[in-house]
Amino acid sequence: MKKFVNDPRQFVAEMLKGVALANPDTLRYVPAYNLIMRADAPRDDKVSVIQGSGSGHEPAHVMIVGKGMLDAACPGDVFAAPPMDYVLETSKLLATPKGVLHLINNYTGDRMAFDMGKEMAEAEGVQIETVLVDDDVAVADSTFTIGRRGVAGNFFVIKVVGAAAEAGADIDDLVRLGNKVNSVTRTMGMALTSCTPPAKGSPLFELGDDEMEIGVGIHGEPGRRREKLADANTIIDELLDAVVMDLPYQRGDDVALMINGLGGTPISELYLLYGRAHEQLDARGINVRRNYVGDYCTSLDMAGASLTLVKLDDEIVKGLAAPAEIAIRTF
């Protein structure tokens, strides 16, 4: 394994320390709970929006904390849900008179941690509501979930809910908005290679040089099937067909299209995939009104990509178009 790593057990803590040191004016770091939060949070005039999930999916979630996005993130170790006490203490620290909203990707460990943290925080007087994200169409259940997995479509829920929270929306409206976006968002991914968690030191699974995994999960969970590697157009056509047919999206729909990298795929290849997907949607009479290409929800160093569609209406477009300022400086 060739990675920049010291003690694998300290990998996440060292990564978070680096994030905090690089952004001292905009972020606050609480090492005891792996907590990265906005420097101006909590604010009494808004609902605090938080998420946890495992590390290894950066920039989700600690790197999209900021104005109009998340107020805080409290990740667990790589591919591991945060401990319940991280959720509890984060919820208490971020509590405001308008409440706290938990955004939870549908994985069993995440749901258990957030459910228990919510119950204990509520016992101390914190108002909390929850939105569950489950946009992956690849499989109905997996080794990590009962029901569909929450993957890259999570970004759209965060963006729309975060914008509304910044504008002062109450917590019930944020729950409605989050559920609405989730209900019209679908994703499917595929892998060209496995990934290597620092603590394991070897790939999670083996793929031959001439193989690919269709429908892989972002923790390396099995997808729909493994087969011989195909060309890029064939791959993106399959992902697109699976996503379009699931809602289903129909001729005349306006959509947002995301091609998300899983961590080890060059941006040039992601744009190649985007071009094909855009053309195929045009051919189906589906209108791409907003587009997103890059790494949004990764799986460490996995080579692969996922395709997400969101059916748009005026309310969702307003949220996606609203200004956002992630606290991490990129330019």
Side-chain angles (χ1 to χ4, degrees):
M1 177 184 71
K2 291 184 177 180
K3 285 186 175 293
F4 292 107
V5 63
N6 299 306
D7 180 349
R9 295 169 296 180
Q10 297 301 314
F11 178 80
V12 173
E14 292 181 353
M15 178 264 290
L16 296 177
K17 180 176 72 173
V19 169
L21 289 173
N23 302 276
D25 298 329
T26 53
L27 292 177
R28 177 183 168 199
Y29 174 39
V30 184
Y33 311 118
N34 276 3
L35 170 58
I36 294 286
M37 59 189 288
R38 288 172 55 170
D40 64 347
R43 280 174 33 198
D44 287 350
D45 62 341
K46 72 182 296 292
V47 175
S48 289
V49 182
I50 69 174
Q51 189 159 53
S53 200
S55 298
H57 305 302
E58 290 75 28
H61 301 97
V62 294
M63 296 178 184
I64 51 174
V65 171
K67 183 178 179 181
M69 299 293 284
L70 293 176
D71 291 284
C74 56
D77 289 335
V78 172
F79 295 172
M84 180 278 295
D85 59 311
Y86 287 17
V87 178
L88 169 62
E89 298 301 331
T90 294
S91 300
K92 290 163 59 178
L93 284 169
L94 272 291
T96 81
K98 299 195 71 168
V100 173
L101 180 65
H102 288 173
L103 301 182
I104 308 172
N105 286 336
N106 187 34
Y107 296 97
T108 301
D110 292 48
R111 293 185 65 172
M112 290 177 61
F114 273 84
D115 285 350
M116 290 188 291
K118 176 178 183 288
E119 182 177 348
M120 296 188 72
E122 287 176 331
E124 298 190 38
V126 181
Q127 179 191 7
I128 300 176
E129 297 294 340
T130 296
V131 170
L132 188 69
V133 180
D134 59 352
D135 55 303
D136 190 0
V137 307
V139 292
D141 300 290
S142 79
T143 52
F144 281 65
T145 64
I146 298 174
R148 290 180 164 181
R149 305 174 291 216
V151 288
N154 176 69
F155 165 83
F156 295 98
V157 177
I158 292 171
K159 182 66 182 70
V160 174
V161 167
E166 201 67 41
D170 64 37
I171 198 165
D172 291 337
D173 201 37
L174 296 184
V175 171
R176 178 192 63 80
L177 265 174
N179 288 329
K180 176 182 180 179
V181 175
N182 183 66
S183 74
V184 293
T185 301
R186 300 291 188 273
T187 301
M188 185 158 156
M190 62 81 59
L192 299 175
T193 69
S194 181
C195 59
T196 302
K200 188 173 187 293
S202 60
L204 279 180
F205 58 91
E206 295 293 336
L207 271 179
D209 289 342
D210 62 345
E211 292 183 316
M212 61 182 180
E213 179 92 18
I214 297 293
V216 71
I218 56 173
H219 308 98
E221 311 98 303
R224 291 188 175 184
R225 68 184 186 280
R226 184 172 298 184
E227 63 179 35
K228 294 298 182 183
L229 181 64
D231 62 53
N233 286 351
T234 300
I235 292 169
I236 206 68
D237 288 355
E238 176 163 358
L239 299 184
L240 183 65
D241 190 60
V243 166
V244 167
M245 299 305 295
D246 190 85
L247 190 59
Y249 299 84
Q250 299 175 343
R251 180 172 293 274
D253 282 348
D254 291 338
V255 299
L257 168 62
M258 172 186 281
I259 301 296
N260 168 64
L262 295 182
T265 300
I267 190 70
S268 54
E269 294 179 24
L270 297 180
Y271 273 105
L272 182 155
L273 297 174
Y274 174 85
R276 174 67 174 190
H278 191 131
E279 290 176 346
Q280 291 300 101
L281 286 167
D282 278 348
R284 294 171 182 253
I286 298 173
N287 310 307
V288 179
R289 300 304 188 196
R290 298 189 68 84
N291 60 78
Y292 302 81
V293 183
D295 287 353
Y296 290 86
C297 183
T298 65
S299 184
L300 291 172
D301 54 348
M302 182 182 288
S306 63
L307 181 152
T308 301
L309 283 184
V310 185
K311 184 177 179 181
L312 301 176
D313 64 13
D314 290 344
E315 186 175 41
I316 295 175
V317 168
K318 179 182 178 181
L320 294 179
E325 298 174 10
I326 59 172
I328 288 184
R329 293 175 301 186
T330 55
F331 293 99

